[in-house]
Amino acid sequence: NKPFASFRMNFIAGGTAALSESLDKKVLVVLRDGKKLIGFLRTFDQFANIVLESCVERLYHENTYGDVPLGLQIVRGDSIVILGEIDPTLEPPPTMQEVDASSIMESQEEHQRESDERAKILKQFLAGRGLVPEATLEDLAT
């Protein structure tokens, strides 16, 4: 009596069935928060929750990359944006240089500090000319 419910189940089953072709292969998973995980796909369920073995988080900065070892990871299906197999002939990326992940994290933090400083200067500039950005919840609380 509920055609939509059966359609949804078929859609979920059809979507996760494609994952079976990637079992025991090295995959790249892009998450909703922008993180990129690389590991061997070991199993999945009907909700596209997956288990990655020998998992690393890959960090990128300009033409360099670094891997943060994570080990065995369980990833919720609703946080996955895209998942794809990695071509072994292109791993590691041929046009990029591998560096220690901590140096990439430092570069990213420096970039964030610079961005925050530019936003602060712009806000002061606009306020000096009587242009105030929309109030935030923090502004209203004080």
Side-chain angles (χ1 to χ4, degrees):
N1 294 352
K2 297 181 181 178
F4 181 75
S6 63
F7 169 77
R8 180 165 167 69
M9 290 305 292
N10 291 339
F11 175 75
I12 290 172
T16 57
L19 289 175
S20 63
E21 296 175 10
S22 297
L23 278 175
D24 299 324
K25 294 183 181 167
K26 198 170 194 180
V27 295
L28 167 68
V29 180
V30 179
L31 303 179
R32 289 174 63 188
D33 64 0
K35 291 182 181 177
K36 293 148 191 81
L37 304 179
I38 295 176
F40 291 92
L41 179 64
R42 293 303 182 205
T43 191
F44 63 92
D45 66 10
Q46 70 271 23
F47 303 107
N49 298 316
I50 63 172
V51 175
L52 295 176
E53 186 177 40
S54 303
C55 183
V56 296
E57 179 184 355
R58 178 145 301 167
L59 304 174
Y60 295 96
H61 182 71
E62 296 176 354
N63 63 342
T64 61
Y65 75 94
D67 293 337
V68 178
L70 302 174
L72 188 69
Q73 291 290 303
I74 299 171
V75 182
R76 286 181 52 113
D78 63 357
S79 67
I80 297 173
V81 174
I82 192 165
L83 179 148
E85 290 180 34
I86 293 180
D87 183 345
T89 62
L90 298 176
E91 179 63 12
T95 60
M96 301 188 82
Q97 178 184 359
E98 184 174 10
V99 297
D100 186 58
S102 61
S103 65
I104 291 179
M105 287 188 268
E106 290 171 6
S107 297
Q108 289 174 337
E109 289 171 3
E110 178 63 27
H111 182 348
Q112 184 62 46
R113 281 192 296 274
E114 291 171 0
S115 178
D116 291 346
E117 185 61 29
R118 283 192 301 271
K120 181 180 175 183
I121 291 170
L122 178 61
K123 187 176 179 180
Q124 290 172 344
F125 174 79
L126 293 173
R129 284 159 178 68
L131 302 171
V132 182
E134 292 183 24
T136 63
L137 293 176
E138 295 168 356
D139 295 334
L140 297 174
T142 58

